[in-house]
């Protein structure tokens, strides 16, 4: 992965083990320039790259331009995904893409029967594979317990992207799951939700039911050193104030629990 | 003052002694509809009314419409100001206006020689008068020490609007000043600033030098029961993401210090 060092001055989480970032999906109705503008305005420097901003068939030249644009805004593209995979060919494409992009992690949603194949690919590429969970909406990978059961006996580079909103919407406790499964948690999607079941909707962080002080304290306790990326799925036609409020809330909690 | 009861569900600070609000000045480039839209989006229910949203010569009918519009958005106009006053006539106008608007507090910046006259008016109207401070920019009322020295021997309804940013920019400690002067602090302007001197600029809450966890804890310690109104003075042509981030940060600190 290309490394663009940031000074402590530029990085509000400089002294935390973890980083605050943004999931590309948050901006699925916006182009890369609009996305980077929102990251700059909220002082966020880590982006999980979604294919609508950098397609899987991007050329070397397009990837180079993409990184140059991110670098000009002080943003690091730290992983790719989520990428859905239904065939071995799609797995092959995803790994080749991640390698060309220069990241060492794929956030993915592969069919379960592909896991042994992916287990070989993470060894071949020396790359982490973080399975995304989606709560009660989709039968595939509803929560952290489920992903754990699928990866625990595989290569240690096989793990999960803990989506704290979807985990909670499936009735689970994401703070407890962070503690239990942290050895296999490579990426985190942060969000708040309105209810601990399928009716739960994404909402500005702090307005929902999740306990963010407990979550931040647990990040420190387990020494999570990855990115916590905001995946904000409310008002997606105009999410910017909600994004800013959410990032602000998170940073307020980080500061006040130091 | 007209009272529009809000349920605890609607009010994120329901169990705090203080309230989070917005200083009308934050929106000096925006009309009332745009202002109320921003308050709704950030779930803020208290507005200090600035004259560009409700002129001092407003008719009873205009004031009635103004309140109806606020009420329709679940917003309470809790005070008027800041209002500058250079003559007795301007003092008279301000008190008559506040009474017509139906609030029981004026945030004001009166010439010092008018203070004895205002002291009589607060008794006559049974109204609080909160003197606004402006740091090193303006000789009149630079900080909390200065305002205290002017009001301490006057009627107990004579006090201050503690602007924590301007107080800090004048080299003072707003948390210590909140503790010292809380009996005369009737309103608070919250903001963050980049430096503890005249060079300090308004910045998103959490990005500057003020200690918000200490500030929130002191609000509780002294039992401050007024409003903390965000006066955001950065990117005033497009302040909305900065406003949302600031409100989010403040609420994160409030939650994490409970």
């Amino acid at each position: 992965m290309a490394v663009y060092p940031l000074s402590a001055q530029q990085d509000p989480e400089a002294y935390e083990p973890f980083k605050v970032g943004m999931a590309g999906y948050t901006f699925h109705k916006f182009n890369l320039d609009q996305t980077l503008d929102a990251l700059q305005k909220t002082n966020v420097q880590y982006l999980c790259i979604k294919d609508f901003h950098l397609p899987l068939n991007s050329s070397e030249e397009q990837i180079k331009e993409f990184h140059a644009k991110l670098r000009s805004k002080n943003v690091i593209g730290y992983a790719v995904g989520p990428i859905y995979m239904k065939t071995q060919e799609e797995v092959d494409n995803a790994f080749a893409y991640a390698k060309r992009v220069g990241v060492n992690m794929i956030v993915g949603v592969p069919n379960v029967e592909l896991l042994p194949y992916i287990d070989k690919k993470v060894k071949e590429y020396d790359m982490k594979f973080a399975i995304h969970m989606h709560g009660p909406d989709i039968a595939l990978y509803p929560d952290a317990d489920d992903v754990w059961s699928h990866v625990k006996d595989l290569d240690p580079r096989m793990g999960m992207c803990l989506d704290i909103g979807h985990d909670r919407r499936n009735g689970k406790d994401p703070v407890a799951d962070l503690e239990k499964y942290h050895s296999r948690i490579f990426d985190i999607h942060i969000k708040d939700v309105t209810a601990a079941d399928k009716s739960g909707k994404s909402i500005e962080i702090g307005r929902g039911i999740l306990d963010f002080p407990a979550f931040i304290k647990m990040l420190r306790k387990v020494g999570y050193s990855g990115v916590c990326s905001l995946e904000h799925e409310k008002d997606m036609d105009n999410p910017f104030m909600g994004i800013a409020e959410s990032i602000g809330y998170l940073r307020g909690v980080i500061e006040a629990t130091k």
Side-chain angles (χ1 to χ4, degrees), chain A:
Chain A
M1 163 177 176
V3 173
Y4 323 126
L6 302 170
S7 70
Q9 173 76 22
Q10 292 170 310
D11 183 356
E13 287 76 41
Y15 303 103
E16 298 291 349
F18 56 89
K19 302 290 172 195
V20 171
M22 207 77 83
Y25 183 69
T26 297
F27 301 97
H28 92 101
K29 299 198 173 177
F30 298 93
N31 65 29
L32 184 62
D33 288 327
Q34 293 164 317
T35 299
L36 293 176
D37 183 57
L39 266 71
Q40 276 209 302
K41 283 192 174 139
T42 49
N43 206 10
V44 167
Q45 290 148 352
Y46 297 88
L47 176 67
C48 189
I49 302 165
K50 240 329 232 178
D51 51 4
F52 47 69
H53 289 149
L54 186 67
L56 267 75
N57 62 2
S58 296
S59 67
E60 294 289 342
E61 192 53 39
Q62 287 167 325
I63 290 170
K64 205 173 148 188
E65 280 170 21
F66 178 88
H67 280 310
K69 189 175 264 187
L70 262 60
R71 195 159 40 231
S72 76
K73 304 290 184 179
N74 241 325
V75 170
I76 294 174
Y78 73 94
V80 294
I83 301 174
Y84 287 75
M85 302 165 205
K86 295 188 186 330
T87 63
Q88 284 199 4
E89 194 189 344
E90 287 178 340
V91 173
D92 292 343
N93 286 343
F95 275 84
Y97 167 69
K99 188 179 179 183
R100 290 203 316 281
V101 174
V103 296
N104 63 6
M105 177 161 55
I106 297 170
V107 180
V109 189
N111 283 5
V112 170
E113 69 272 16
L114 293 170
L115 290 176
Y117 185 68
I118 295 172
D119 192 45
K120 286 182 202 151
K121 299 292 272 190
V122 299
K123 296 180 213 297
E124 181 190 335
Y125 281 81
D126 187 19
M127 206 175 272
K128 284 179 173 166
F129 193 93
I131 297 176
H132 188 252
M133 60 198 64
H134 218 287
D137 305 333
I138 302 178
L140 199 56
Y141 312 121
D143 60 29
D145 288 337
D146 181 78
V147 178
W148 174 261
S149 72
H150 284 297
V151 300
K152 67 184 168 55
D153 299 323
L154 300 179
D155 187 280
R157 286 161 289 202
M158 295 291 290
M160 69 182 84
C161 169
L162 175 66
D163 185 308
I164 64 175
H166 288 314
D167 196 52
R168 189 77 192 94
R169 290 178 64 245
N170 213 45
K172 302 303 170 72
D173 175 352
V175 178
D177 287 345
L178 173 57
E179 183 165 33
K180 255 194 288 188
Y181 302 135
H182 68 91
S183 65
R184 297 286 181 124
I185 295 174
F186 305 146
D187 196 24
I188 296 179
H189 281 177
I190 50 165
K191 62 184 59 162
D192 207 344
V193 292
T194 56
D197 56 36
K198 194 173 161 66
S199 75
K201 301 260 177 296
S202 179
I203 193 169
E204 291 81 359
I205 290 184
R207 298 198 199 183
I209 59 169
L210 293 186
D211 182 346
F212 282 90
F215 169 70
I216 296 294
K217 287 174 191 168
M218 187 57 75
L219 288 175
R220 294 192 185 110
K221 184 177 171 190
V222 302
Y224 175 72
S225 61
V227 181
C228 295
S229 275
L230 177 67
E231 196 183 52
H232 188 66
E233 298 175 80
K234 185 191 168 194
D235 304 328
M236 292 195 84
D237 289 328
N238 187 6
F240 300 104
M241 285 183 75
I243 289 167
E245 183 182 324
S246 296
I247 292 291
Y249 188 95
L250 196 75
R251 291 203 173 123
V253 171
I254 291 170
E255 179 64 28
T257 54
K258 263 176 183 159

